[in-house]
């Protein structure tokens, strides 16, 4: 008996990386899986139907049940069609795992409008679109008296929640938006028996992260790999399963560590009765404890690079921006 026996699950971006590992794990736990992936490049261009088909073949070869869907989550009707694929193939839909994403990394001053829009269309709008079509089906079933556990598992990232990574303005914004969307959706969809949570992988080795310093190194065979994208799969499966009581939560996953994110929370404060003057604020705000984004980035890189000083960190940021800039464009 698997933890997901009898559950029909739609997983977007399931052809590679974290999504692929989730699809394989969910199927091994007894789920019937819709493997969604248009097979695009990292930047969202191109397409290869064989990417999703290969994962389906791998699942069925192991005795599992799966079908492929190659629609884009950024396509409104495509999002509807992938939900319909689950209903037509397996008769119902119990959980959605929103994993699809793309990256187009450049410094903010060089980032084209179309690149920013493209990333948000997949990461944020795509998460909304698939969830929205699934929610409409679940609302209809709930109104018809069918009261069973349903679940949405969104996917965010340390980039956007914890680790401020230069050149990732669009990617970070999309991931932060997904986390915010998770909490709103949890409050709205609970009336239909739907739980909504989010996993936030941090330092997982995928084709999107292999160029990050330290990410390309793999441990000797047989030793636990904390950067293996498979580390996210059991956490997502738990959140998608009927035994999970959680909703509205964002869980960071880094190797064998699972941590609850507290989101944007109030810290230290100053107060006066009436309006502040600029001069008063200048004096009082300096006493407030604040998080320095340089310190956050340095902490995120410590595991891969050791201790990184501020000057060295700025050199790395400058080099990254120069590398990502369009040919012939100066960033400084």
């Amino acid at each position: 008996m698997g933890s997901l026996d009898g559950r029909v699950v739609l997983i977007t971006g399931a052809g590679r990386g974290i999504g692929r590992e989730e699809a394989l794990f969910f199927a091994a736990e007894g789920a019937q899986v819709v493997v969604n992936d248009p097979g695009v490049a990292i930047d969202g261009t191109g397409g290869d139907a064989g990417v999703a088909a290969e994962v389906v073949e791998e699942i069925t070869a192991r005795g599992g049940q799966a079908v492929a869907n190659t629609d884009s989550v950024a396509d409104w009707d495509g999002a509807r069609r992938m939900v319909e694929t689950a209903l037509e193939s397996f008769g119902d839909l119990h959980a959605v795992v929103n994993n699809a994403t793309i990256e187009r990394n450049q410094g903010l001053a060089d980032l084209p409008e179309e690149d920013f829009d493209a990333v948000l269309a997949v990461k944020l709008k795509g998460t909304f679109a698939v969830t929205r079509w699934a929610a409409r089906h679940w609302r209809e079933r709930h109104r018809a008296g069918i009261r069973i556990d349903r679940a949405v598992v969104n996917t965010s990232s340390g980039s956007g929640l914890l680790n401020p990574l230069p050149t990732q303005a669009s990617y970070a914004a999309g991931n932060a938006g997904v986390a915010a969307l998770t909490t709103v959706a949890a409050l709205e969809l609970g009336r239909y028996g739907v739980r909504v949570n989010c996993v936030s992988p941090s330092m997982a080795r995928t084709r999107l992260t292999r160029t990050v310093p330290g990410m390309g190194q793999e441990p000797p065979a047989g030793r636990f790999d904390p950067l293996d994208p498979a580390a996210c799969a059991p956490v997502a499966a738990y959140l998608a399963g009927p035994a999970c009581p959680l909703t509205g939560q964002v869980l960071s996953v880094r190797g064998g560590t699972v941590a609850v994110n507290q989101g944007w929370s109030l810290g230290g404060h100053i107060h006066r009765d009436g309006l502040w003057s600029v001069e008063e604020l200048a004096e009082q705000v300096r006493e407030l404890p604040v998080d320095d984004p340089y310190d956050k980035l340095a902490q995120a890189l410590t595991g891969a690079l050791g201790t990184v000083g501020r000057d060295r960190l700025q050199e790395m940021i400058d080099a990254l921006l120069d590398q990502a800039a369009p040919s012939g464009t100066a960033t400084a």
Side-chain angles (χ1 to χ4, degrees), residues 291-300 310 313:
D291 290 331
D292 187 325
Y294 281 88
D295 291 341
K296 281 192 170 185
L297 180 56
Q299 184 179 11
R310 192 182 185 97
L313 190 61

Side-chain angles (χ1 to χ4, degrees), residues 99-145:
N99 182 68
T101 192
I102 64 170
E103 279 189 9
R104 297 188 183 182
N105 294 343
Q106 280 192 22
L108 190 146
D110 295 312
L111 185 65
E113 177 186 11
E114 59 268 24
D115 286 0
F116 184 87
D117 289 347
V119 173
L120 269 291
V122 174
K123 180 77 251 186
L124 184 55
K125 177 189 171 183
T127 296
F128 162 72
V130 177
T131 302
R132 188 264 193 185
W133 285 112
R136 288 178 73 87
H137 166 68
W138 291 333
R139 182 177 65 182
E140 292 172 2
R141 300 300 292 268
H142 188 271
R143 287 175 174 175

Side-chain angles (χ1 to χ4, degrees), residues 70 81 83 86 116 131 158 182 191 237 240 250 255 264 283 287 331:
T70 58
R81 285 192 296 268
V83 171
F116 184 87
T131 302
T182 296
R191 66 190 299 184
V250 180
W264 288 97
E283 178 180 351
E287 303 300 325
T331 60

Side-chain angles (χ1 to χ4, degrees), residues 156-163 179 183 198-202 248-254 257-265 296:
S156 185
S157 173
S159 177
L161 300 185
L162 303 174
N163 311 329
T183 58
C198 182
V199 292
S200 177
S202 178
Q249 304 303 311
V250 180
L251 303 182
S252 285
V253 182
R254 186 169 186 172
T257 301
V258 179
V260 177
N261 282 271
Q262 301 296 339
W264 288 97
S265 55
K296 281 192 170 185

